[in-house]
Structure formats: structure tokens, C-alpha cells
Amino acid sequence: MVKYRIGAVVAEFNYDLTHMMLELAKEEAKIRNCEIVQVVPVPGVFDMPLAIKKLLEKEDIDTVITLGAVIEGSTDHDQIVAQHASRKIADLSLEFEKPVSLGISGPGMTRLDAHKRVDYGKRAVEAAVKMCDRLKEI
């Protein structure tokens, strides 16, 4: 029996990075006796909130992880995407009273920086599981 059932929302943008993040997340979930039971691919980080909400509405999902990489471009677009997405993600966690971990690297990073941060997939699972444990104690 698994400890927690995890939903994952994964950005397709920068898929080479987010796919590695997802694989690390799956390994970490197994190590922690949890399971990623549903993966929802979305076009990009900005598109995550609706998919997160749909997962949080499910009774058989205990927590949601988000996986994405927001890489710096020639404009401030990366800043806008990361700020708005992270704010809405936090709001959804509060609204549904379930943990939603932020496994999104960036903004303001290069592609090389993003490669160095694929372990955010593992960290997202770690944070989600810890929050589930802590909320049980309250």
C-alpha cells in the first residue's frame, strides 16, 4: 500500500529537461513508498493551474507536484510566467488544502543552469511528502 498518491503536472516546453525531472520524481516517489498515479502534460508552466486544480479535485490524489523549467529569454517573459504561475499554484494549494510543490526551476536561468537543476523533480516529491506528513500532525 502506498503512503501518498501523487499527481504530477509537467510542462512540455523544454521537454528534454522536464522529462528528466519526471523520471527523478518517479524514483523519489518509489523510495518514499509513494506513487505518481497520474501525469498531466501541459504546454508550459503558465498553463499548469487548471490541470493542478483538476487533480486537486480528485479524492484519490493526496498531493500534486509541478515540474517545469523557465529559461531566460531576450525579454522579461520568464519573470512574468514564473511569478504568475507560482502565485496561482500557491493559491490552489490553499483553496483545496492539499500540498502542491513547486518543482519549477527558473526564472533568470540559462539552459545550462536548467540542466544543473533537473533534481528539482526529486525535490518536488520530497517537499510534497513532507507537507503531507506535517499536515497529518496538525
Side-chain angles (χ1 to χ4, degrees), residues 5 74 82 87 98 107 122 133:
R5 296 170 55 89
S74 58
R87 179 67 228 183
K98 293 182 183 181
K122 176 185 168 188
D133 286 344

Side-chain angles (χ1 to χ4, degrees), residues 101-118:
S101 67
L102 192 63
I104 299 169
S105 58
M109 65 178 185
T110 65
R111 185 164 262 309
L112 181 59
D113 293 333
H115 276 284
K116 293 176 184 175
R117 290 177 175 87
V118 294

Side-chain angles (χ1 to χ4, degrees), residues 57-110:
E57 288 172 346
K58 294 180 166 219
E59 288 189 29
D60 63 340
I61 298 287
D62 299 305
T63 183
V64 174
I65 63 169
T66 60
L67 303 175
V70 182
I71 296 173
E72 186 174 43
S74 58
T75 67
D76 288 340
H77 182 75
D78 61 316
Q79 301 286 332
I80 293 166
V81 166
Q83 287 175 10
H84 287 279
S86 62
R87 179 67 228 183
K88 190 57 187 172
I89 289 166
D91 290 346
L92 286 165
S93 181
L94 291 170
E95 178 184 342
F96 287 89
E97 297 184 355
K98 293 182 183 181
V100 181
S101 67
L102 192 63
I104 299 169
S105 58
M109 65 178 185
T110 65

Side-chain angles (χ1 to χ4, degrees), residues 30-43:
K30 240 181 220 181
I31 289 168
R32 293 179 177 273
N33 194 32
C34 297
E35 183 181 358
I36 295 177
V37 295
Q38 189 167 2
V39 176
V40 180
V42 295

